[in-house]
Structure formats: structure tokens, C-alpha cells
Amino acid sequence: MNKKGYFICIEGLDGCGKTTQAKLLALKLRKRYNAVYTAEPSCGKIGTFIRKRYLYGEKRLSSMIEALLFAADRLEHVENEVLPALRQGRLVISDRYVYSSLAYQGAAGLSLDWIEKINEHALPADFAVFIDVDPRLVMQRLKRTRSVMENLETQQKVREVYLRFVEKGALVRVDGNRPKTEVAAALLAAVLNFLKVQC
């Protein structure tokens, strides 16, 4: 998996603002770093299936089936979108990646070691950020049509898993409880600091 660009992942709870922030970040870095925005579930066949046939169904699948579906989509996403952009020297900003599987399916009781195992062929992120928002706040932000994972209990458990990776140094925490412009500034500063070290 030879690459020239950098792969940055933005993680967080549903409704934390990560999609907005990831898109803003890509826009701000487009000229200087040839940045491109992408997301999971992807626009590929498996990602489309996940969005259309599963996320807004009546109930969750088993955590093992969820993890396998997301891992399969991830490999397709990397092969079809991420690696081609990286080989062009682009800065790829992904709205969700492996840490989402670890957090969501891990919070549902699945072994983190097993989740890591089925994702072992996924390209490692060069830099990953967790936009941390109080789960009660994200529940207020979410629309009435919620996915099968968008309830307070699930979001609280998911946040706990994410914070474990922050403590390990795998994720950089950005306080997402602040106004959007302040979150954007903090996220941009964190990413620019990472890129500065690489150059």
C-alpha cells in the first residue's frame, strides 16, 4: 500500500458535528494541501447497503455482523477512494474510520482485539481526531429520524471507548462542546501541527 499523501480521520459521536467539521477542514486545506473529503459508510456498494438497508432499520444487527459489514466497506473505501487520492499526494480527510468500529461495536460488547483483527488490512490513519461532545447534547442535536445507534445509552458507552483511545494517545481530543467556529479553529490547529511535524 504505497502512498505519498496523508490520511486524516475525524471521529466522534453521532451529532457531534464531525461531518460539518471534516468538510470545513477539507475546504480550508484544499488549496495548500490538495485536500479531499471522504466518509464512512462509503459511497461504494457495501456502504450504500449499510446506509439504505441497515442504519435506519427497526433494530441493530448483532455487533459481529455490524463489524464485518463496516470492515468490508472500509476495505472497499480504501481501495477505491483513499489510496488513489494518497498516491496523487493528496491530503485525505475521512469522516469516520476504524475507530468508529472500535467505539460502536466495542461499546456493544464485541472484543476490541477481534475488531482490530478484522481491520488489520485497513490502511492505518496518519492522524486521528476525536471531536468530544457531551452525549446529552448530541441527543438534542439529532433529528427525529435516528439511526439504530442514536440513543443516549449507546452514545455514552461509545464515548467511553473513544476516550480510552485518547488516553492511549491514538486519538487527539478536540472539545466539541464549544461554538462551531472555535471547534473548527482547534481542529485546524491540531491538523496543521501534525503536518508541520511531517514536513
Side-chain angles (χ1 to χ4, degrees):
M1 287 192 179
N2 205 15
K3 67 185 184 69
K4 296 186 290 185
Y6 291 105
F7 186 29
I8 294 171
C9 303
I10 311 299
E11 297 282 356
L13 303 182
D14 296 301
C16 74
K18 76 186 154 24
T19 299
T20 298
Q21 293 297 342
K23 287 179 177 178
L24 277 172
L25 181 66
L27 191 62
K28 289 176 183 175
L29 297 176
R30 186 160 290 151
K31 286 185 180 178
R32 186 172 173 188
Y33 292 98
N34 199 13
V36 60
Y37 167 86
T38 188
E40 290 189 357
S42 75
C43 294
K45 291 179 182 178
I46 302 167
T48 300
F49 171 83
I50 290 170
R51 280 195 317 277
K52 290 187 174 179
R53 301 295 179 98
Y54 166 61
L55 279 182
Y56 295 94
E58 292 182 14
K59 62 179 184 176
R60 289 184 73 169
L61 298 169
S62 76
S63 55
M64 192 172 289
I65 294 172
E66 279 182 3
L68 288 166
L69 278 172
F70 283 110
D73 176 50
R74 186 161 295 124
L75 290 176
E76 186 177 43
H77 179 218
V78 168
E79 184 179 320
N80 295 337
E81 295 184 55
V82 178
L83 276 175
L86 291 173
R87 287 176 181 139
Q88 293 170 3
R90 303 187 77 175
L91 179 67
V92 179
I93 296 167
S94 183
D95 174 354
R96 293 205 180 284
Y97 195 55
V98 174
Y99 291 106
S100 285
S101 288
L102 290 163
Y104 279 83
Q105 282 76 60
L110 201 58
S111 160
L112 296 183
D113 289 339
W114 188 80
I115 298 168
E116 288 178 341
K117 179 69 177 172
I118 65 169
N119 282 282
E120 68 181 352
H121 295 292
L123 181 72
D126 294 303
F127 188 68
V129 177
F130 170 53
I131 299 177
D132 188 18
V133 176
D134 185 319
R136 291 165 296 186
L137 180 56
V138 298
M139 293 310 299
Q140 291 171 13
R141 292 180 182 176
L142 291 170
K143 297 174 183 175
R144 268 186 228 169
T145 306
R146 294 178 178 169
S147 81
V148 291
M149 301 180 199
E150 292 173 352
N151 60 74
L152 183 59
E153 182 183 2
T154 297
Q155 297 299 309
Q156 287 172 329
K157 289 179 181 177
V158 167
R159 181 175 181 265
E160 289 171 11
V161 179
Y162 272 129
L163 289 175
R164 278 187 244 160
F165 285 102
V166 171
E167 288 171 13
K168 290 179 181 178
L171 287 167
V172 172
R173 180 186 175 275
V174 168
D175 183 359
N177 294 298
R178 297 175 292 174
K180 185 169 78 172
T181 54
E182 291 182 23
V183 177
L187 179 59
L188 180 62
V191 171
L192 287 176
N193 186 57
F194 160 75
L195 292 169
K196 184 179 179 182
V197 172
Q198 304 309 306
C199 298

